[in-house]
Amino acid sequence: MSAYNPPRLVNLAAMSLVRDEALAISSLEYLPMELYPPLFMAAFSGRQSETLKAMVQTWPFARLPLGGLMQKPHQGTIQAVLGGLDVLLAQKVHPRRCKLQVLDLRNTGQDFWNIWSGDMNHVSSSLLMAPVAEDMSRTKHPLTPLVVYIELCLKTKTSIKFLTYLLRWVQQRKGSIHLCCKKIKIISRSKENIKKILSMVKLNCVQEVELSLNQKLSTLAKFSSLLGKMRNVQRLLLPPIHGSVAEEQDHQALLQFTSQILRLQHLQDLHMEGPAFLEGRLNQMLRCLKTSLYNISITNCLLTESDLTHLSQCRNICQLKGLNLNGVTLTNFHPELLQVLLEKVAGTLEELDLNLCGIMDSHLMAILPVLSSCSQLRVLSICGNLISMAVLESLLCHTDGLSDLSLELYPAPRESYSSLGILHQERLAQLKAELWEILTDLGRPRKIWVSPSPCPYCGDDMCDHLSPNA
């Protein structure tokens, strides 16, 4: 029988009060601070525009995390909130109770609403007083300029229409509003809409850019002029990009793109999925980097041995924390190439993903000594490669001294398959039992995953916290 969780009295009071909009508005001056978030949530869900407009003008916290309540942008609700801000910004003397300094329209702030709604399943007790303490420390600061945080997701016509409305509102109040957009995700294929929206944003505030559509190299080059203006970008995620630098047009497009990468003075994370243009040209990309990378992900593409050599020699990866080469075929590469690359980053590497790389026993044996020296390593994944049981056993022994290693994802041993490549479940179960015994003998609890699938979320092959006492 499930437990009955009755509504809290404070929530019942808020729901009761919001039914009488005139009474709710007239009560705001005397309303206890604790009632503001529940009343705002009740007014928001009921789309009580006048109540929302009035509450914004007396909001007793420094931050209004409105984005945490919005599954989808509702223009009428946003207009009510912005209308309240207009009234507030027009006043020479602001209301005594109002402490509002930040309107946050990002998909954040759920903890704030969970705390005040009494939902204790998602927040720790240490967070209960955090918003109060933070906001009360700012009560003497002036309201203006008001900071508005947004994340741009250029996807559907509806979202673009909403963003256009919001950005025009901000533009018309430049002296009173500071718009801060740290993340941009572009899914829309409309180049006109993208340029229109980005022309209204201060691009030097952007810290993360994600392109989520397959692109031609020539299209990426056209976008790169805007990218070059985002000089504070720290994280760049590129979709599959098609093109051949053997063709003059694509070669010029690559030059245009890399020339703008030179402008990114704070880039730390670089993610490239399926970059067809990189084969034999990785050095051209790497030499444009001006800062040390913390994460580099080059996936599902063809690279040459010279590309891997250039990567291992790149001075910008000496502080690398994450290395992802998922889907980059290394079968025909000299085994020591991986060893040299890992030696370069052994002191800082925390996550290593070599899934579906065509790695053989010789490659893995070559990197075992350096793997054992990766003292910061937390996650190791080599799923989808054909590795023998003997080499897996050796791998477990070599990594036993890595105290931070908390998740290991390994392929089903080669001996689990027939000569025709058919997986034998009984044989796999037997080999797992042998691996369990090895971990028991080693004596340190570990979490490993042994699976014929390269994806750790689509099977029931988890050996959870293998323990020497099991």
Side-chain angles (χ1 to χ4, degrees):
M1 185 174 67
S2 61
Y4 172 61
N5 294 318
R8 298 167 72 228
L9 288 177
V10 67
N11 293 333
L12 289 173
M15 288 187 287
S16 176
L17 183 58
V18 81
R19 292 191 189 104
D20 189 336
E21 196 162 46
L23 178 61
I25 294 172
S26 63
S27 302
L28 291 178
E29 185 178 350
Y30 312 101
L31 201 66
M33 181 180 178
E34 291 78 7
L35 264 179
Y36 262 78
L39 182 60
F40 191 93
M41 284 186 279
F44 184 88
S45 62
R47 296 183 179 177
Q48 301 284 347
S49 298
E50 292 304 315
T51 302
L52 292 174
K53 183 176 179 180
M55 290 195 75
V56 170
Q57 299 170 52
T58 56
W59 189 249
F61 303 93
R63 181 182 295 265
L64 175 54
L66 187 62
L69 295 178
M70 295 193 304
Q71 296 298 322
K72 294 181 179 179
H74 180 257
Q75 191 155 325
T77 305
I78 292 294
Q79 284 176 335
V81 172
L82 299 184
L85 291 178
D86 278 334
V87 174
L88 196 60
L89 295 173
Q91 296 174 358
K92 293 182 179 179
V93 179
H94 301 309
R96 175 183 57 84
R97 296 205 66 178
C98 187
K99 307 298 185 295
L100 184 59
Q101 297 176 37
V102 174
L103 174 63
D104 195 340
L105 298 176
R106 299 171 297 181
N107 186 26
T108 58
Q110 284 81 1
D111 280 351
F112 176 86
W113 302 112
N114 286 334
I115 288 171
W116 291 104
S117 66
D119 184 354
M120 303 302 296
N121 295 324
H122 303 91
V123 293
S124 64
S125 58
S126 62
L127 290 174
L128 281 175
M129 296 304 294
V132 179
E134 178 188 3
D135 294 333
M136 289 183 67
S137 68
R138 303 179 183 181
T139 54
K140 294 183 179 180
H141 289 255
L143 176 68
T144 55
L146 181 79
V147 180
V148 177
Y149 283 104
I150 62 169
E151 288 180 354
L152 292 182
C153 182
L154 307 183
K155 184 178 181 180
T156 63
K157 290 183 178 180
T158 301
S159 64
I160 290 175
K161 182 179 178 181
F162 163 73
L163 289 170
T164 303
Y165 168 79
L166 176 65
L167 293 174
R168 281 177 178 167
W169 180 86
V170 171
Q171 275 195 326
Q172 292 167 3
R173 294 153 184 81
K174 284 184 178 179
S176 303
I177 301 290
H178 173 67
L179 179 69
C180 188
C181 176
K182 294 187 177 182
K183 181 177 179 180
I184 294 177
K185 183 175 183 179
I186 299 176
I187 303 176
S188 171
R189 292 185 180 275
S190 172
K191 299 174 186 177
E192 293 74 19
N193 283 332
I194 292 172
K195 289 183 178 180
K196 180 180 179 181
I197 294 292
L198 295 184
S199 67
M200 294 187 276
V201 176
K202 292 184 178 179
L203 297 181
N204 59 356
C205 287
V206 178
Q207 296 180 5
E208 179 177 332
V209 177
E210 178 180 356
L211 302 179
S212 296
L213 286 174
N214 292 8
Q215 301 283 351
K216 294 180 179 178
L217 194 55
S218 56
T219 304
L220 182 66
K222 293 175 182 177
F223 172 75
S224 65
S225 60
L226 291 170
L227 179 64
K229 297 177 181 178
M230 304 176 191
R231 302 191 177 218
N232 289 305
V233 164
Q234 299 176 15
R235 193 164 188 256
L236 177 60
L237 297 91
L238 298 176
I241 299 169
H242 308 291
S244 170
V245 291
E247 298 182 14
E248 181 60 26
Q249 181 181 358
D250 284 337
H251 177 68
Q252 292 301 320
L254 179 60
L255 290 176
Q256 185 177 342
F257 173 65
T258 54
S259 69
Q260 298 303 315
I261 295 292
L262 281 166
R263 298 173 178 268
L264 306 184
Q265 301 291 327
H266 302 280
L267 188 63
Q268 297 176 353
D269 294 1
L270 178 59
H271 300 253
M272 296 182 287
E273 180 184 353
F277 66 91
L278 272 190
E279 184 180 2
R281 299 291 197 286
L282 183 58
N283 186 45
Q284 188 172 339
M285 186 80 178
L286 295 175
R287 67 190 180 201
C288 296
L289 302 175
K290 292 299 180 182
T291 56
S292 293
L293 292 177
Y294 289 158
N295 294 283
I296 186 166
S297 175
I298 305 171
T299 62
N300 302 315
C301 68
L302 294 174
L303 294 180
T304 64
E305 281 202 6
S306 65
D307 288 326
L308 204 60
T309 300
H310 287 309
L311 182 60
S312 64
Q313 295 173 348
C314 179
R315 59 185 177 84
N316 301 88
I317 68 165
C318 57
Q319 298 182 44
L320 204 65
K321 295 182 179 180
L323 174 62
N324 183 359
L325 296 177
N326 189 325
V328 175
T329 302
L330 306 176
T331 306
N332 298 320
F333 288 13
H334 199 276
E336 276 69 33
L337 276 176
L338 265 181
Q339 178 187 353
V340 173
L341 174 58
L342 292 179
E343 284 175 349
K344 180 88 170 185
V345 299
T348 59
L349 192 65
E350 296 179 3
E351 297 187 17
L352 176 61
D353 186 337
L354 297 174
N355 289 347
L356 296 168
C357 288
I359 289 178
M360 312 294 284
D361 282 353
S362 57
H363 296 95
L364 202 51
M365 289 300 294
I367 66 174
L368 288 186
V370 69
L371 268 181
S372 64
S373 66
C374 293
S375 58
Q376 308 298 315
L377 196 64
R378 295 186 297 104
V379 179
L380 172 62
S381 185
I382 57 170
C383 295
N385 298 294
L386 202 59
I387 307 298
S388 70
M389 181 66 174
V391 172
L392 277 180
E393 291 176 359
S394 184
L395 173 60
L396 291 179
C397 294
H398 273 82
T399 55
D400 186 57
L402 302 179
S403 58
D404 289 336
L405 189 58
S406 57
L407 181 59
E408 303 162 64
L409 303 107
Y410 302 134
R414 186 174 62 209
E415 290 82 356
S416 304
Y417 298 89
S418 70
S419 58
L420 298 177
I422 300 173
L423 178 71
H424 292 294
Q425 292 291 348
E426 298 83 359
R427 179 58 176 154
L428 176 59
Q430 179 185 347
L431 294 173
K432 282 184 180 181
E434 293 178 18
L435 291 173
W436 183 296
E437 290 181 9
I438 292 171
L439 290 176
T440 301
D441 292 338
L442 291 173
R444 182 172 71 85
R446 295 165 70 172
K447 179 186 287 187
I448 72 168
W449 180 291
V450 179
S451 172
S453 167
C455 175
Y457 303 105
C458 61
D460 189 25
D461 297 311
M462 189 72 145
C463 300
D464 195 14
H465 294 290
L466 297 183
S467 171
N469 298 320

